[in-house]
Amino acid sequence: MATLTETAAALAKGRVSAVELVTTALARAGASEHVFTELFAEQALAQARAADVRRANQRELSPLDGVPFAVKDLFDVQGSKTLLGSFTRIGETAASVDATVVAAMKAQGMIALGKTGMNEFAFSGLGLNPHFGTPTPDFPGVEPRAPGGSSSGSAVAVQRGIVTAAIGSDTGGSIRVPAAFNGLVGFKSSPERYDLGGVHPLAPSLDSLGPIARTVRDCVLLDAAMRGLAEPSIQARALCGCRFVVEQGVLDDARLAPPVLKNLLHCVEQLRAGGASVEFRILDSVEQVRQLILRDGWLGAIEAWEQLRDVVLSPQGAQVDRRVSARLHVAAKIPAELADAIRSARTGLMSSIARELDGAVLIMPTVMHVAPLLEPLEQDDELFTATNMATLALTMIGSFLNMPGLAMPSGTDVDGLPTSILFSLTQGQDDELLATGLAIEQALQSGQGCAHQALVTKACT
């Protein structure tokens, strides 16, 4: 399927029109259950016609002018209700203005195709929604799988080829996990990178945004658009100048699925072949975060309860997904003094990880397993809870430490289900991470690390 970069090039060369892109996307969306909760068909087609006129007159707003994209339903879009995947918000009024990042993308000529499905209130890593339905990735020859959450519809919209670009939010893994389960690239930013105006919060100290697409290059383009830039300034760095640290303690976890480990190690060898320095060691700060979450609880759940308490305890609370409600009630029992201690520990651990990495890029699996079967999760709440925690176990580490993260496909298992590798840097190093991601992508492309790195690694000699 086409990438965003390829689609922009086709538009520039006149091989496709914006109207054709939107018409095809609307048809595919209509044939894909539960991916979108609302389509902006009339507006999208009108905007596509305007984009085609601009391009015909050589007045396009940006290279992405006329490209449709999908919007997770916690971003405000003018004229649309922001439902957050919940029946409790059906009575809300429509948004009067676009969320800041949506407005920025529209200003570049990009076209919001519609709102995508998500976990209720964005509070899960598996992507299930009993109210609006669960979107599923299109994996031939396998039973339906969980899409990953909470940005489930955004990821599936790209995986199914409905659009080449989508935006989501990430509090504990909600971009990185669905990217992993769907064989896509997902970029979780540092929380301060994008303006959060018009984005409904879940856990304000952890909430971040980012794009989901097929390639790192596509995510770099979308990152620029989300920040109101017509074109990105980020370029691939030389891989031979990169230092990586693989977290050995995570690799030693008995829960790590063999294909996930095997594919990660293969990627590491390709990075080394491209000239990168890779070290395997246990990071004390990572281990401390893992133990803190298991022992004291998840900060995201604490803050989610603070945000959602009034809804859950109101008469409308009976409408909330029982699995979401149960997790929130568990968080409600965490004492205020323990929550304060968790926040205090977080500050120290953010400093610790910066010292331990000393500028190196952290490598871990994005998720310890491939996308799990959907039906058992729908039927068994205990299985759902255990699988959800296992799914988020690694991405929560980066969220707790405020690290930007880039989830990238690392291969597949014997059934063709994607595995994923997660690259992270410390807070605020988003540009450096994306520049490194471009170099990594060249190294991993088609399994030909050395050949694809030829131009980049000339600097080594």
Side-chain angles (χ1 to χ4, degrees), residues 165-310:
I167 56 173
S169 66
D170 191 313
T171 302
S174 288
I175 287 171
R176 292 161 291 167
V177 169
F181 282 178
N182 286 275
L184 303 171
V185 177
F187 171 56
K188 172 221 173 292
S189 69
S190 296
E192 69 276 7
R193 187 167 181 84
Y194 306 115
D195 190 318
L196 295 174
V199 181
H200 291 252
L202 175 64
S205 71
L206 298 166
D207 292 342
S208 60
L209 310 179
I212 299 174
R214 292 196 174 275
T215 67
V216 177
R217 173 62 63 188
D218 290 357
C219 284
V220 168
L221 291 174
L222 288 168
D223 167 71
M226 292 172 70
R227 292 186 292 137
L229 305 175
E231 296 191 60
S233 59
I234 298 168
Q235 300 296 325
R237 62 176 296 188
L239 190 61
C240 63
C242 295
R243 292 186 300 113
F244 297 90
V245 172
V246 182
E247 218 298 315
Q248 184 64 54
V250 170
L251 299 195
D252 292 338
D253 194 313
R255 296 173 296 172
L256 186 62
V260 175
L261 175 59
K262 177 183 177 181
N263 291 342
L264 181 147
L265 294 176
H266 178 66
C267 289
V268 166
E269 288 309 308
Q270 289 180 283
L271 296 180
R272 281 178 166 160
S277 168
V278 185
E279 178 184 1
F280 288 73
R281 60 185 164 96
I282 293 174
L283 297 170
D284 184 60
S285 49
V286 169
E287 181 58 27
Q288 286 190 54
V289 172
R290 297 181 78 187
Q291 293 303 318
L292 182 149
I293 293 171
L294 288 172
R295 181 185 67 244
D296 298 335
W298 170 232
L299 178 59
I302 294 168
E303 295 191 4
W305 173 249
E306 294 168 356
Q307 293 290 319
L308 299 169
R309 176 196 296 113
D310 291 346

Side-chain angles (χ1 to χ4, degrees), residues 413-439:
D413 70 1
V414 294
D415 295 318
L417 295 171
T419 61
S420 180
I421 185 170
L422 178 62
F423 300 92
S424 304
L425 275 170
T426 53
Q427 182 177 13
Q429 293 188 287
D430 301 66
D431 284 1
E432 293 85 348
L433 179 61
L434 288 170
T436 304
L438 290 171

Side-chain angles (χ1 to χ4, degrees), residues 21-342:
L21 290 176
V22 169
T23 300
T24 299
L26 288 171
R28 289 176 177 172
S32 301
E33 285 189 326
H34 312 312
V35 178
F36 286 84
T37 55
E38 182 179 5
L39 290 168
F40 310 135
E42 185 176 339
Q43 303 98 308
L45 285 168
Q47 291 163 16
R49 288 190 287 269
D52 285 337
V53 170
R54 287 193 296 270
R55 199 170 287 278
N57 292 318
Q58 299 184 337
R59 299 181 64 180
E60 57 267 24
L61 299 174
S62 79
L64 301 182
D65 196 350
V67 175
F69 69 102
V71 184
K72 184 179 182 178
D73 192 17
L74 55 62
F75 293 81
D76 285 345
V77 174
Q78 185 179 25
S80 171
K81 294 181 180 182
T82 307
L83 299 179
L84 310 181
S86 179
F87 279 171
T88 67
R89 295 183 56 84
I90 294 293
E92 295 291 316
T93 57
S96 59
V97 295
D98 290 325
T100 304
V101 293
V102 173
M105 296 172 78
K106 286 183 175 180
Q108 306 304 317
M110 297 192 72
I111 299 167
L113 189 76
K115 292 282 195 74
T116 54
M118 56 181 282
N119 286 110
E120 188 165 18
F121 303 127
F123 195 52
S124 169
L126 293 173
L128 279 63
N129 188 301
H131 311 306
F132 299 97
T134 299
T136 54
D138 181 20
F139 296 133
V142 298
E143 295 181 62
R145 299 281 168 157
S150 62
S151 305
S152 51
S154 289
V156 174
V158 177
Q159 194 274 339
R160 285 182 169 269
I162 300 170
V163 292
T164 56
I167 56 173
S169 66
D170 191 313
T171 302
S174 288
I175 287 171
R176 292 161 291 167
V177 169
F181 282 178
N182 286 275
L184 303 171
V185 177
F187 171 56
K188 172 221 173 292
S189 69
S190 296
E192 69 276 7
R193 187 167 181 84
Y194 306 115
D195 190 318
L196 295 174
V199 181
H200 291 252
L202 175 64
S205 71
L206 298 166
D207 292 342
S208 60
L209 310 179
I212 299 174
R214 292 196 174 275
T215 67
V216 177
R217 173 62 63 188
D218 290 357
C219 284
V220 168
L221 291 174
L222 288 168
D223 167 71
M226 292 172 70
R227 292 186 292 137
L229 305 175
E231 296 191 60
S233 59
I234 298 168
Q235 300 296 325
R237 62 176 296 188
L239 190 61
C240 63
C242 295
R243 292 186 300 113
F244 297 90
V245 172
V246 182
E247 218 298 315
Q248 184 64 54
V250 170
L251 299 195
D252 292 338
D253 194 313
R255 296 173 296 172
L256 186 62
V260 175
L261 175 59
K262 177 183 177 181
N263 291 342
L264 181 147
L265 294 176
H266 178 66
C267 289
V268 166
E269 288 309 308
Q270 289 180 283
L271 296 180
R272 281 178 166 160
S277 168
V278 185
E279 178 184 1
F280 288 73
R281 60 185 164 96
I282 293 174
L283 297 170
D284 184 60
S285 49
V286 169
E287 181 58 27
Q288 286 190 54
V289 172
R290 297 181 78 187
Q291 293 303 318
L292 182 149
I293 293 171
L294 288 172
R295 181 185 67 244
D296 298 335
W298 170 232
L299 178 59
I302 294 168
E303 295 191 4
W305 173 249
E306 294 168 356
Q307 293 290 319
L308 299 169
R309 176 196 296 113
D310 291 346
V311 174
V312 174
L313 296 180
S314 74
Q316 286 184 301
Q319 296 179 289
V320 175
D321 180 353
R322 65 186 186 278
R323 296 160 296 203
V324 169
S325 183
R327 290 181 62 218
L328 288 169
H329 278 102
V330 170
K333 298 176 183 177
I334 298 175
E337 57 270 22
L338 181 54
D340 290 341
I342 292 171

